[in-house]
Amino acid sequence: MLTTLNTAYTDTRATDLAWALGREPLPALATLDLELTGTKLQLRLLGASHQVLLEEERGICSETVACMPGSSTPLPLGVAKRAGDWEYEFAARVEVLSPGQFAGRAQELLALVSDHPHGLACVFPGSPHAFTAMLAQHHEGQVHWRTWHAYPQDGQLVATRTRVGVRAVAVTLRPRSRQSNRQASPSGARAPAAATQTSRTSTTHVWVT
């Protein structure tokens, strides 16, 4: 989905962006609600920044990349952490492009996202290359999304990539113990010692989906 906003940038440059996990929903200029294989996802555009809200039976995961006054966490190159029952991975990079490169990249990304059923893109007034775009998908039990934040005045394009999945847990499986065979032989001798030992408990690591 592609829309044009009647508002100016709220973030002025890439270095103003900060990252946060677990914030409450912020006022959005545009939203897209998705349901991907039982997972509810809301893509939210906040000026020249974004917020993603993921909701499932196990809980909620919230990612915010925006200009947040007072935030002590600038945009990181990478994050890998647990958030409740979730395994969360985030990566970001800043591309510096010439005006010609920037125009071509903007056209390519806007065409990709605007035609995708799980994509949301907004163009800001003043420049056809001033945009924010988001694209989500569900793959192999995990939710992925990518975002792009364009700053044509500086020739900078901020790209982020996120993966969220249910964390792996160790499940202990305890099979029934073999009963000892202690029947006496006709001569009154006990059975061999190997027959009196119970089996060991085995541990199997299972990825819970």
Side-chain angles (χ1 to χ4, degrees), residues 6 36 58 90 107 119 137 154 163 169 194:
N6 186 24
L36 307 177
R58 300 174 183 87
F90 171 88
Q107 292 175 358
Q137 66 174 338
D154 297 323
R163 181 193 67 85
V169 297

Side-chain angles (χ1 to χ4, degrees), residues 16-27 42 44 46 49-55 60-74 81 83 88 145:
D16 291 336
L17 291 175
W19 167 89
L21 195 62
R23 289 190 65 129
E24 294 294 322
L26 299 175
Q42 185 178 70
R44 303 167 61 84
L46 319 173
S49 54
H50 80 262
Q51 188 172 51
V52 178
L53 305 180
L54 182 152
E55 182 178 356
I60 297 175
C61 181
S62 167
E63 173 191 280
T64 306
V65 172
C67 178
M68 295 177 280
S71 174
S72 58
T73 307
K81 65 184 303 181
Y88 172 91
W145 61 83

Side-chain angles (χ1 to χ4, degrees), residues 163-178:
R163 181 193 67 85
V164 179
V166 179
R167 67 184 178 90
V169 297
V171 178
T172 301
L173 305 178
R174 296 183 180 275
R176 292 181 178 178
S177 299
R178 294 194 300 268

Side-chain angles (χ1 to χ4, degrees), residues 75-79 90-94:
L75 190 65
L77 295 178
V79 175
F90 171 88
R93 73 178 189 276
V94 180

Side-chain angles (χ1 to χ4, degrees), residues 97-114:
L97 305 171
S98 68
Q101 291 173 327
F102 202 101
R105 187 84 168 117
Q107 292 175 358
E108 175 188 14
L109 290 172
L110 287 174
L112 170 68
V113 176
S114 61

